[in-house]
Amino acid sequence: MSTRETWTTRAGFIFAAVGSAVGLGNIWSFPFQTASNGGAAFLVVYLLAVFLIGFPTMLAEFVIGRRSEQNAISAFERLGFSNWTFTGALGVFAAFVTLAFYSVVGGWVLRYIVGSLTGAYFGDTAGYFAAISAGPGAIVTHAAFMAITIGIVAFGVADGIERATKFMIPAIIVLLIGLAGWGATLSGAGAGYSYYLSPDVDVILSNFGSIVPSAMGQAFFTLSLGFGVMIAYASYLGSDDSLPGDSAIIVVLNTVVALLAGFAVFPVLFSTLEDPTTTSGGMGTAFTALAGAFGQLPAGQVLGFVFFVVLLFAALSSSISLLEAPTSYVVDTYDYDRWKIAVGVGVVTFVVGVPSTFGITWLAFYNDLVFNVLLPVAVFLIAVFVGWVADAEAFDELGRGSVVGDVPGTAPLTTIWLWWVRVVVPIVVLYTLYLGVTSLYTGLTTGGYF
Ligand code: PFF
């Protein structure tokens, strides 16, 4: 078997992991979920979910990846627990399903970049969205987005993923800061900020049942947890990196990008829509609401272009990680040429994604299947595995190269982390799963999807 690749530098790993985390989830879904779930009320719960549940779970995935030096599926076997392999397989399956519909949305973004240049969506935003989001045109853009993703992954970890994300992440941050600065000059900025940033406890309490699962699902999705991606990425990591230090940087940067996206989007929505708080978190609304807003604003064409380019970079830096999860499994296991595998897996995923070009409800179904069921189940299993099954290895691995583990066996932070992953994470995730499955079931039985 050929020598396994590693990241060229620590920064290379961090950029790639931030690239995976920062995606459509941050810029497309986060501001709109926040808008439709009570604004700041959602923000508070989301931040708690990210830092209290997401961060420790990311450490759990990093521990599995670096300890095993394997992709998410083989990792469990390498650690000596082959009957847990299904956990990794479930994550890789989730990555596969996610990429299938993610690429369709990536295709829309490509189309909106062109549409911004030509001004095509300014007249009839809803009509434009309906025309490009389904049917043959959507299949073509879905294929184009997948082809770019395959191209990057085919080049490998260092030459493809590391290089691409090192360029895209700084570009995303700079452009978003620019957009947020421009947003501050709009008439609705004040109202937008206040809805975004002043939480109302009553809103949280009275909508607990819907805010919690949305915020948790969003937290896992945005941090790319439960997909085996962070396991695969950490497997290319040297033993002298500090896992807690790296994850803290990744979680914070990912949160900064989501917050910045909110600072860019809220002023736009509050300057142009009658009631932005009813903007549903639904799939297409983000595109129609923003496109409509750009159409009404001075220099909307340029700003629309910049916004959709940011969205494209974010989507690509995530889609490559989604393709890397299954690709790394085949590369590790069968030693075929990486590029052939990337093409093979990419083409199959493309085909699986085609139904979500039939209509928005298919896409919503794929999305909800991942958010409400696959993710919580995968995260639950990972927490139980790290907390109860491979706990001794996990304890030891977290300490390697890390400040908290300088004194093996006595590091109190590591102990707290382990107990947190043992008890708190599984309980919270099970509760989320219960709410998520109930809502998917209701959707299916009441004809909400098909
Ligand atoms: N974190 C990405 C986003 O917020 O858009 C989505 C994602 C990428 C999820 C990679 C999972 C993953 F493995």
Side-chain angles (χ1 to χ4, degrees), residues 20-26 98 102 221-224 227 229 318 321-322:
S20 171
V22 168
L24 294 170
N26 303 57
T98 303
Y102 208 83
F221 189 79
T222 191
L223 294 171
S224 305
F227 292 79
V229 164
S318 296
S321 74
L322 287 165

Side-chain angles (χ1 to χ4, degrees), residues 316-336:
L316 273 176
S317 65
S318 296
S319 63
I320 53 185
S321 74
L322 287 165
L323 184 58
E324 175 63 18
T327 302
S328 66
Y329 167 65
V330 187
V331 172
D332 284 344
T333 315
Y334 301 104
D335 201 24
Y336 294 146

Side-chain angles (χ1 to χ4, degrees), residues 395-411:
F395 192 94
D396 184 53
E397 187 60 42
L398 192 74
R400 283 168 68 213
S402 135
V403 231
V404 293
D406 280 348
V407 192
T410 56

Side-chain angles (χ1 to χ4, degrees), residues 10-32:
R10 176 179 178 206
F13 162 69
I14 292 178
F15 273 122
V18 172
S20 171
V22 168
L24 294 170
N26 303 57
I27 301 169
W28 172 52
S29 141
F30 167 75
F32 287 89

Side-chain angles (χ1 to χ4, degrees), residues 101-192:
F101 77 80
Y102 208 83
S103 168
V104 173
V105 181
W108 301 349
V109 178
L110 283 173
R111 199 56 190 264
Y112 270 84
I113 291 179
V114 179
S116 306
L117 289 176
T118 59
Y121 60 70
F122 288 126
D124 173 12
T125 42
Y128 184 79
F129 180 74
I132 67 108
S133 62
I139 298 184
V140 172
T141 49
H142 168 40
F145 184 85
M146 188 66 86
I148 306 175
T149 304
I150 294 173
I152 301 174
V153 172
F155 274 102
V157 168
D159 288 339
I161 300 178
E162 194 170 328
R163 256 206 219 157
T165 50
K166 254 188 198 164
F167 158 74
M168 289 193 275
I169 295 304
I172 291 170
I173 294 179
V174 170
L175 292 176
L176 271 183
I177 291 177
L179 282 174
W182 161 78
T185 66
L186 299 176
S187 57

Side-chain angles (χ1 to χ4, degrees), residues 23-36 42-43 46-47 196 218 222 255 257-263 266:
L24 294 170
N26 303 57
I27 301 169
W28 172 52
S29 141
F30 167 75
F32 287 89
Q33 290 228 33
T34 310
S36 59
F42 178 84
L43 182 63
Y46 166 76
L47 289 175
Y196 183 34
Q218 176 65 22
T222 191
T255 309
V257 172
L259 292 176
L260 272 177
F263 277 108
F266 275 90

